[in-house]
Amino acid sequence: MAHEHYKAIARNSLLIRSLPEQHIETLLSHAHFRHYERGENIFLQDEEATAIHVVIDGWVKLFRVAPNGAEAVVSIFACGESFGEAVALRGNNYPVSAEAVTAAEVMHIPSSLLISLMKEDPQIGLSILASTFMHLHSLVEQLEQLKAQTGAQRVAEFLLTLCRSDRGPCEVILPYDKVLIAGRLGMKPESLSRAFARLKTAGVQIKKNHAAIADVKILREYTEDDPADAWNKA
């Protein structure tokens, strides 16, 4: 029963829903579902890539470890998001490691199966390209935020991704520790704390791992302000 529930979630993921309908059930029936505890590795940097991964529940981070031991967070993935397509289809080794930053359920699709289906139906290749493009678009947005927004605006954008409504009050749970959130947003932990303090003027109150937002619409307007104006509101 649990796997049927996971399959239903997987069907709504960007990768799966973009595939031709006649191949979806084949992929889902051959997929493997696995539970990961917080801090558990999904794969390690330089391991052979043999599958494409879809987050069914929880949060997963991709990261690299520099020669000096410092960890650089490359990306964070949530429910319905996929990763590993490009390297798995090319048969390369993973350039990053993946770790569950909360308890997580992850679906693994064998890349050999997907490649076999692609040879039968080229339309699948176009679907994979679309998914890869969305990943690239997301990275471009992250770079734009780093260059064009204040730290508080980047934190506000992050909180908005957790909201389930477009207006009115909303309370969200921060899905992982603040050090990781800071790394995800290109900030130092102390800068994140200052950003949370500045967001009080936009109606945001932080208490432990909860964020109470007075009005989602007002917070969204804050992210669209000119950075100089946003600083003046601090």
Side-chain angles (χ1 to χ4, degrees):
M1 182 63 71
H3 280 188
E4 291 305 314
H5 174 64
Y6 295 159
K7 285 182 180 180
I9 296 174
R11 280 181 174 275
N12 288 321
S13 69
L14 173 65
L15 173 64
I16 300 299
R17 72 171 184 261
S18 64
L19 296 173
E21 180 64 32
Q22 65 269 27
H23 301 301
I24 290 178
E25 190 54 44
T26 299
L27 284 173
L28 293 180
S29 63
H30 287 82
H32 306 290
F33 295 87
R34 181 175 167 185
H35 174 80
Y36 293 88
E37 295 295 338
R38 178 180 179 178
E40 188 174 356
N41 289 322
I42 297 170
F43 55 75
L44 295 174
Q45 186 175 326
D46 295 325
E47 281 186 3
E48 181 183 2
T50 60
I52 294 169
H53 317 276
V54 181
V55 181
I56 302 301
D57 188 35
W59 295 75
V60 171
K61 72 174 179 180
L62 301 187
F63 65 98
R64 286 179 63 88
V65 178
N68 63 0
E71 179 183 297
V73 178
V74 176
S75 193
I76 302 288
F77 294 93
C79 179
E81 296 181 322
S82 59
F83 56 96
E85 295 95 332
V87 289
L89 292 176
R90 293 179 61 189
N92 290 352
N93 293 342
Y94 291 114
V96 296
S97 296
E99 178 186 301
V101 294
T102 65
E105 303 288 342
V106 181
M107 180 179 75
H108 307 285
I109 303 172
S111 54
S112 57
L113 173 62
L114 200 53
I115 291 171
S116 177
L117 290 174
M118 286 173 64
K119 292 177 180 178
E120 296 178 14
D121 186 352
Q123 183 64 36
I124 293 181
L126 295 176
S127 300
I128 298 297
L129 282 175
S131 176
T132 302
F133 173 79
M134 291 302 295
H135 289 326
L136 177 61
H137 183 67
S138 176
L139 288 173
V140 170
E141 285 185 336
Q142 290 177 35
L143 287 173
E144 182 181 10
Q145 289 172 7
L146 285 172
K147 292 181 177 293
Q149 292 184 317
T150 67
Q153 285 178 313
R154 298 203 298 275
V155 174
E157 287 274 12
F158 172 74
L159 293 176
L160 288 170
T161 65
L162 303 176
C163 292
R164 296 185 179 275
S165 57
D166 296 326
R167 59 182 64 246
C170 180
E171 183 168 323
V172 300
I173 299 176
L174 302 179
Y176 36 82
D177 65 69
K178 294 177 181 178
V179 173
L180 183 56
I181 293 174
R184 168 67 177 79
L185 299 176
M187 307 167 66
K188 294 181 178 180
E190 57 268 27
S191 299
L192 179 67
S193 296
R194 290 194 293 269
F196 279 140
R198 291 191 178 100
L199 287 179
K200 290 180 180 179
T201 61
V204 176
Q205 295 290 331
I206 303 294
K207 187 174 182 180
K208 294 184 178 179
N209 67 331
H210 286 72
I213 301 168
D215 192 316
V216 173
K217 185 174 181 290
I218 291 175
L219 186 61
R220 190 172 302 282
E221 290 172 352
Y222 179 87
T223 68
E224 297 169 355
D225 280 346
D226 181 275
D229 294 334
W231 276 111
N232 291 333
K233 293 180 181 178

